[in-house]
Amino acid sequence: MVPVASKKPAEIDPVAEGAMRNLVKAFGLLKHVMEPYFARFGLTGAQWGILRVLGRAEVEGAMSLRLSDLGKRLLVRPPSVTGLIGRMQRAGLVDLTSSTEDQRVKNVSLTPAGRKLLEQVMRGHGAQIESMLKPLSGAQREQLQALLEQVAGRMEELAGQAKTRPARETENSD
């Protein structure tokens, strides 16, 4: 058997690799810290995301969001959001209604109970964030925010490119 020639793996910048590893670690730890906080209010992190996005939309003047727009803001596909919305609707936290213009379009809005729960969580949310960012000075927090915005912007570009790439054509070996 003849050995197959293999490509030499691309060199990886050790600093970049370490930064990515720490970003992934921080994201995982963020979930470990925040999930118990949200659980005290009977919420999952995903449900909190929905409450927070709907609350922000209200502040911006939109009393409801289309299900598809909610998914975009959460970076989640609408089918994934639908199950969460159903559970939250049964809990009385959100309303799901059909659009008057197009019955296929579903709009999601906070109920008074959802707004009240959002306010309860927000009362301690600042302290929770402060606890996590305590080791950083104000300037370091600003720097972290700017760096994460840059990384997120690049990831959005890459995600957009992945969506527009044509699927690989399969070759026929006939």
Side-chain angles (χ1 to χ4, degrees):
M1 185 176 224
V2 178
V4 178
S6 63
K7 287 184 174 179
K8 181 180 177 186
E11 291 294 320
I12 298 174
D13 174 6
V15 174
E17 184 180 25
M20 185 57 68
R21 191 172 46 250
N22 283 324
L23 183 61
V24 170
K25 180 181 178 181
F27 178 73
L29 290 169
L30 177 68
K31 287 183 70 166
H32 285 293
V33 170
M34 293 306 293
E35 289 287 342
Y37 174 74
F38 297 133
R40 294 190 327 213
F41 300 95
L43 293 170
T44 65
Q47 290 170 328
W48 164 249
I50 290 171
L51 285 180
R52 190 70 172 114
V53 166
L54 291 173
R56 281 190 179 129
E58 284 187 359
V59 169
E60 295 166 1
M63 295 311 288
S64 68
L65 288 177
R66 292 169 48 144
L67 190 60
S68 59
D69 292 336
L70 179 61
K72 285 177 189 171
R73 288 187 185 204
L74 292 167
L75 303 175
V76 178
R77 296 188 48 170
S80 300
V81 176
T82 303
L84 283 167
I85 292 297
R87 285 188 289 283
M88 293 177 75
Q89 187 178 23
R90 288 188 294 280
L93 300 174
V94 298
D95 280 328
L96 183 65
T97 56
S98 295
S99 167
T100 54
E101 295 90 32
D102 185 344
Q103 293 295 306
R104 297 170 296 174
V105 174
K106 303 295 181 203
N107 293 316
V108 184
S109 59
L110 288 173
T111 63
R115 250 180 242 101
K116 182 179 177 183
L117 184 57
L118 175 62
E119 289 169 10
Q120 288 175 342
V121 177
M122 288 302 293
R123 277 189 218 120
H125 195 57
Q128 187 73 9
I129 292 170
E130 183 60 37
S131 171
M132 288 183 287
L133 298 180
K134 189 176 182 175
L136 302 179
S137 69
Q140 288 172 318
R141 292 173 188 198
E142 287 177 16
Q143 185 179 19
L144 177 63
Q145 181 179 356
L147 292 170
L148 290 173
E149 283 176 3
Q150 287 179 341
V151 171
R154 177 60 181 150
M155 288 182 183
E156 285 176 347
E157 288 174 16
L158 293 171
Q161 291 171 8
K163 286 180 186 176
T164 59
R165 279 192 200 125
R168 283 189 171 167
E169 295 181 13
T170 57
E171 295 178 23
N172 290 334
S173 57
D174 297 308

